[in-house]
Amino acid sequence: MSLLVVGLSHRSAPLELLERVALDGRRSRELAAGVVGLDDVSESLVLTTCNRTEVYAEALSFHGAVAQVGDSLAKATGVDLQDLTPHLYVHYEERAVDHLFSLACGMESMALGESEILGQLRDALRAGQEDAHLGTVLNPLFQQALRVGKRAHTDTGLDRVARSLVGAGLTRAAAVLGSLDGADALVVGAGAMSGLAAASLSRAGVGTLGILNRTRERAERLAEAHQGQVHDWSQLERGLATADLVLTCTGATDHVVTRDLLPDDRTERPLVIIDLAMPRDVAPEAAEVPGVTVWGLADLNGDGADGTATAEAGGGPDETEQVLAVVRELVAGEVAAYLATRRSARVGPTLAMLRSRAAAVADGELERLDQRLPDLSDAQRAEVQQSVRRILDKLLHTPTVRAKQLAAHDADGSSVALLRELFDLDARETAAVTTPPQVSGLP
């Protein structure tokens, strides 16, 4: 079995296609359930963010799983597979682990180094655990990815040079509005990204901070945390008329901010709208209103050659590259350690079967000894049994250690196959000697 990732992101697909394949929480869980029920998949997890949709799977076969996952993704999103295929990427085994760990560090995001992805990974992991779609591969893998992401932010200078989507938007807004100090701001939505927006606006010193959400209770919690004011959803038009800056990120599938909700002219008091949602919350024609500036995810994507937002808030290019080199080194080390651990674990069932086979041989010989020497005392018989066990342990100790060492660096499993061949161990028998899945809490 092998780890497989099939997906598309802002690096492989245009935003209009990403909007079409965006899935809400319910549909993501339905897709994961469908994938885990496929013939060539044993575990699955679906990750959907504002700029990516990815399916992670533990595949029983590579080609079969790729075809089945791609077909499931097309059916779940309603996008024809022929339209999806040119934009899909497939990562396998080591490359899949490297992709996930880099993703957790914010290295694959539109805004380089952003930390919002950790919350999105945590939510996807929790959903997979609750729905029992994870087992001994994806569950520990994603928990490790979260730890790697946290290390990148605590052990490197990533936070010093990284820019989030919200931060990039506020920088642009300040260029239009002047200082944000004293500005009237409105946050539409109350999810994780909206929480980050509210916190950033509060730190920027805005004059008023309004929170508006369809579910008032969630808006109240967000407002309380950041000294904001709660508005009813029916007050959206009024809020748009009085705000200087609007950040919107809802889970709506249709446009929330439309042309008819805006005044005819905002020239005298400019309005900046930052649309962080996917699909977009703001209708395209809203930007046609004089004095209204609208930026979406594509606009917040920086001018970097690799398609990631630049790190304007940190040091210069040299410092940024130095920090990124440290993060890449961290990821490479974590990937190597994870793969070594996983490969070593693969030899476990074979070693367990080898020890079981050796113990069975010893038991048979001890039984024959009992029949040939029935007059042995209990103490003598126990001493013989203990001696035989010690001999077995000493004989098997070095091969066990060497087998684990070889397996840690064995990408194709050839050393495990050789061990089974040498001792005539049936692969089906050894596969049955496994440990039940352990699903632990989130880190």
Side-chain angles (χ1 to χ4, degrees), residues 38-379:
L38 298 173
D39 292 339
D40 291 311
V41 174
S42 61
E43 302 177 33
S44 71
L45 183 147
V46 174
L47 174 65
T48 300
T49 73
C50 59
N51 53 29
R52 74 180 60 252
T53 298
E54 297 179 339
V55 178
Y56 291 78
E58 176 67 353
L60 305 179
S61 71
F62 174 74
H63 295 291
V66 170
Q68 292 175 6
V69 170
D71 185 60
S72 297
L73 186 59
K75 291 179 180 177
T77 60
V79 178
D80 191 274
L81 184 58
Q82 290 185 341
D83 295 330
L84 278 180
T85 300
H87 305 284
L88 289 176
Y89 46 76
V90 176
H91 299 312
Y92 188 64
E93 274 298 277
E94 182 175 351
R95 184 66 190 91
V97 178
D98 182 85
H99 171 77
L100 176 59
F101 287 5
S102 297
L103 179 66
C105 296
M107 301 288 282
E108 301 287 334
S109 301
M110 293 181 74
L112 183 64
E114 57 93 6
S115 59
E116 294 96 325
I117 187 63
L118 287 175
Q120 294 160 335
L121 285 171
R122 188 176 293 107
D123 290 342
L125 175 57
R126 182 178 291 109
Q129 290 177 336
E130 291 174 352
D131 297 339
H133 295 153
L134 310 181
T136 57
V137 176
L138 292 185
N139 184 60
L141 173 65
F142 270 77
Q143 294 193 52
Q144 182 63 22
L146 289 172
R147 287 188 282 267
V148 173
K150 290 178 181 178
R151 278 198 63 195
H153 288 281
T154 58
D155 296 356
T156 75
L158 186 61
D159 284 345
R160 189 171 65 253
V161 300
R163 295 294 307 276
S164 71
L165 290 172
V166 174
L170 295 187
T171 299
R172 284 179 173 240
V176 174
L177 301 174
S179 173
L180 298 182
D181 187 22
D184 293 329
L186 176 67
V187 174
V188 181
M193 185 69 85
S194 297
L196 177 64
S200 300
L201 289 167
S202 179
R203 288 195 299 269
V206 296
T208 62
L209 176 59
I211 310 293
L212 188 148
N213 189 57
R214 292 185 188 275
T215 305
R216 184 180 176 88
E217 182 181 357
R218 297 187 66 184
E220 289 175 345
R221 289 198 297 267
L222 192 57
E224 182 179 356
H226 302 289
Q227 293 76 52
Q229 302 172 357
V230 180
H231 301 300
D232 290 329
W233 188 257
S234 59
Q235 297 177 299
L236 176 59
E237 183 174 3
R238 179 181 176 183
L240 293 171
T242 60
D244 301 306
L245 174 60
V246 175
L247 280 82
T248 177
C249 186
T250 73
T253 55
D254 297 322
H255 293 136
V256 173
V257 178
T258 55
R259 173 65 181 83
D260 60 293
L261 292 178
L262 296 171
D264 294 331
D265 194 307
R266 283 292 300 262
T267 304
E268 294 186 5
R269 187 184 179 188
L271 170 64
V272 174
I273 304 176
I274 301 174
D275 187 355
L276 302 171
M278 178 65 73
R280 286 171 285 191
D281 279 340
V282 183
E285 56 269 20
E288 299 173 0
V289 177
V292 174
T293 301
V294 180
W295 289 311
L297 292 173
D299 304 300
L300 300 180
N301 188 14
D303 298 325
D306 63 350
T308 56
T310 56
E312 300 167 18
D318 290 342
E319 180 188 1
T320 299
E321 187 53 43
Q322 289 173 3
V323 171
L324 296 184
V326 172
V327 176
R328 294 188 190 103
E329 184 178 355
L330 182 152
V331 169
E334 291 285 356
V335 170
Y338 171 82
L339 292 175
T341 300
R342 183 179 180 186
R343 290 163 182 165
S344 294
R346 286 176 177 174
V347 78
T350 298
L351 291 174
M353 180 55 63
L354 175 60
R355 286 186 171 275
S356 177
R357 179 76 60 80
V361 171
D363 288 342
E365 291 301 319
L366 288 171
E367 184 176 350
R368 275 196 292 272
L369 183 64
D370 284 342
Q371 294 173 354
R372 294 173 61 184
L373 300 174
D375 296 332
L376 285 177
S377 66
D378 291 342

Side-chain angles (χ1 to χ4, degrees), residues 403-428:
K404 291 180 178 179
Q405 292 173 340
L406 290 172
H409 303 284
D410 181 10
D412 60 4
S414 58
S415 62
V416 179
L418 178 59
L419 186 62
R420 288 198 299 262
E421 182 69 21
L422 285 173
F423 291 95
D424 192 25
L425 302 174
D426 193 313
R428 289 169 294 182

Side-chain angles (χ1 to χ4, degrees), residues 8-20 87 278:
L8 67 168
S9 73
H10 63 282
R11 294 190 175 187
S12 68
L15 284 179
E16 57 262 29
L17 180 59
L18 290 178
E19 288 182 321
R20 293 171 61 194
H87 305 284
M278 178 65 73

